[in-house]
Amino acid sequence: MPLLFTGFNAFGQHECVSGDVDCAAGFSEINAPVSTENQCTISIGWRYAAIALGRKLWLRGLLDDGPNECVTLEAAGDIKALAAGDSYCLVLLHSGLLYRVQPKLQGELLVVRLEAPPQTNSGTKRSIFGVPVPKAPPSPIIEHIACGSHINVAVSTENSVYSIPSCLHQFAERQFRVKQLQCGHEHAVLLNVNGDVFTWGNGLRGQLGQAVLKVEETPQLLEALAGIKITQIAAGGWHSAAISAFGDLYTWGLNCSGQLGVRVMKPGGFLKEPTVYPLPQLQDLPECCSCSKGQRAEGNDDHDDDDCACAPLKVFAGSRHTLLIRRCGRLWASGWCKHGQLGKQLQNLSYLDAFRALDGIWMNTSCDNVLCGPWSTLLYLKQSKN
């Protein structure tokens, strides 16, 4: 499975196979542990990358003294998910145990001790003398993790939300199930299986999608999208995005580099458009003419109507850039380009403030994926589409 990378790599976070560019959009293949049985798990921070396969964990980049440093660790079980933060990397095992490790050459995997959620109607045991003995709460089993520059979040199987290590909130509904958890620099976005979106954290740049710019300590329902079934979410540095079951793309938050897909300057180029959009903006995406030409990626042929075939399917966000996979398999991008995070072909631009298709990339929507670092982009491809 080729892994194609573009963007900021000054600290050697990724080892490129060669200096050659591998597709028209300017992505390069990188070396990473690949198994025919398991897909490696990757999380990208600003100064290092974390890669896991089975029980093995590799941290690579600026760890102590210089670039291209690498350390290998082994976890107590198979690794399910990683979240690379500035001060440490969260490591979640399939067993539900959560560890953290500092991105240093002498880093060690340490168990994260989480605060027990409040217990209601749990009852008490009594000793043989009739004295009540407090019932020890079970250790939480973690299901989702996410990291930002100033926020670290975990969600348990019992729907407890942790601002690690403290229990921040408990969703009471038994039917409540978390589908996706994402973090920006200072905020978190959560999607449940019913299609409801919750946000919390620092919302002073509009990234929470609420009408009032403020800090929310606990998860709040995103009222602007209430009643609209959301299927995918993304959290960038100070912006957020969501895709609905109807195939609509919504973006909100900071738009200093066009990361919302909204123009930065007014026509004429002398006056700026608003920089902050606190409420979700429905994006009118450019027509994807590829479908009319009969060019559709392998595995993406189950939509006959052209509008449906090119509807947004998945969305991803870095610090100031956003990427979008449409049902036809084309990859679209908008936002900051300075470090080549939208591909080397756009590196001469400061930013792209409207979604544009990246030439030469076709995604298999059933198995290919995208991962955004703060200033970079990584593609998981089942097979090359060049």
Side-chain angles (χ1 to χ4, degrees):
M1 176 180 289
L3 297 174
L4 302 183
F5 171 83
T6 187
F8 183 77
N9 196 34
F11 301 132
Q13 302 94 310
H14 305 282
E15 180 185 6
C16 294
V17 173
S18 68
D20 298 332
V21 171
D22 287 307
C23 65
F27 286 68
S28 299
E29 186 172 352
I30 64 170
N31 278 322
V34 175
S35 168
T36 55
E37 298 178 358
N38 300 309
Q39 177 176 303
C40 63
T41 302
I42 302 178
S43 184
I44 305 173
W46 173 71
R47 63 183 176 93
Y48 73 98
I51 303 175
L53 182 64
R55 296 186 174 201
K56 292 285 188 180
L57 171 65
W58 294 266
L59 302 180
R60 180 182 172 87
L62 176 60
L63 304 183
D64 281 335
D65 301 320
N68 300 304
E69 296 174 325
C70 185
V71 62
T72 304
L73 303 166
E74 185 165 349
D78 286 347
I79 297 172
K80 175 183 178 181
L82 300 170
D86 286 354
S87 57
Y88 56 80
C89 177
L90 293 177
V91 181
L92 177 62
L93 306 188
H94 281 281
S95 63
L97 291 175
L98 182 61
Y99 291 78
R100 64 181 175 87
V101 57
Q102 286 189 310
K104 295 181 177 297
L105 291 175
Q106 302 301 320
E108 297 180 2
L109 285 164
L110 303 176
V111 176
V112 177
R113 306 292 182 186
L114 296 172
E115 176 185 277
Q119 299 292 311
T120 57
N121 300 323
S122 58
T124 57
K125 293 172 58 180
R126 290 183 177 271
S127 71
I128 59 175
F129 303 106
V131 179
V133 178
K135 187 177 180 181
S139 299
I141 299 173
I142 300 303
E143 194 169 24
H144 301 273
I145 57 173
C147 269
S149 300
H150 300 90
I151 187 170
N152 303 287
V153 181
V155 179
S156 74
T157 54
E158 298 298 319
N159 299 319
S160 299
V161 179
Y162 294 88
S163 176
I164 297 170
S166 303
C167 185
L168 187 71
H169 182 75
Q170 175 73 53
F171 287 105
E173 302 87 349
R174 283 182 173 271
Q175 297 79 12
F176 193 98
R177 288 293 178 267
V178 176
K179 179 179 179 181
Q180 198 178 356
L181 174 68
Q182 297 277 298
C183 276
H185 290 325
E186 303 170 312
H187 76 292
V189 186
L190 182 149
L191 173 67
N192 70 10
V193 294
N194 293 330
D196 300 317
V197 178
F198 297 81
T199 60
W200 68 99
N202 189 339
L204 298 182
R205 292 178 174 87
Q207 60 266 54
L208 301 187
Q210 308 290 355
V212 179
L213 303 182
K214 63 178 182 177
V215 175
E216 293 287 359
E217 298 291 342
T218 59
Q220 303 294 318
L221 178 66
L222 185 47
E223 296 285 355
L225 296 180
I228 301 174
K229 183 176 177 62
I230 299 300
T231 57
Q232 278 275 323
I233 58 170
W238 297 281
H239 72 288
S240 306
I243 294 176
S244 75
F246 298 107
D248 292 323
L249 173 66
Y250 297 88
T251 58
W252 62 93
L254 185 68
N255 190 53
C256 59
S257 300
Q259 57 263 51
L260 303 187
V262 177
R263 295 292 183 186
V264 172
M265 305 297 292
K266 292 181 180 294
F270 296 105
L271 298 175
K272 277 192 171 184
E273 295 281 4
T275 303
V276 170
Y277 292 81
L279 294 176
Q281 307 291 306
L282 176 61
Q283 297 301 317
D284 185 13
L285 294 171
E287 181 180 351
C288 187
C289 60
S290 62
C291 293
S292 62
K293 298 178 182 179
Q295 299 175 341
R296 192 169 299 172
E298 178 185 350
N300 308 330
D301 302 321
D302 53 344
H303 300 280
D304 295 327
D305 180 76
D306 279 355
D307 291 336
C308 181
C310 291
L313 182 64
K314 299 177 183 178
V315 64
F316 314 89
S319 183
R320 285 191 275 167
H321 68 289
T322 306
L323 286 101
L324 176 71
I325 298 178
R326 300 175 80 158
R327 291 188 182 274
C328 59
R330 297 196 80 184
L331 185 64
W332 292 65
S334 185
W336 199 30
C337 309
K338 181 176 179 180
H339 297 287
Q341 53 265 63
L342 303 188
K344 299 294 192 299
Q345 65 177 2
L346 299 175
Q347 196 170 3
N348 60 328
L349 300 176
S350 296
Y351 60 83
L352 189 65
D353 59 356
F355 279 97
R356 180 189 297 184
L358 299 184
D359 296 333
I361 296 181
W362 290 91
M363 309 292 290
N364 186 321
T365 57
S366 63
C367 58
D368 292 348
N369 210 348
V370 175
L371 174 65
C372 287
W375 300 348
S376 60
T377 302
L378 185 69
L379 308 183
Y380 294 84
L381 300 183
K382 181 179 179 181
Q383 62 182 14
S384 178
K385 300 282 193 302
N386 298 344

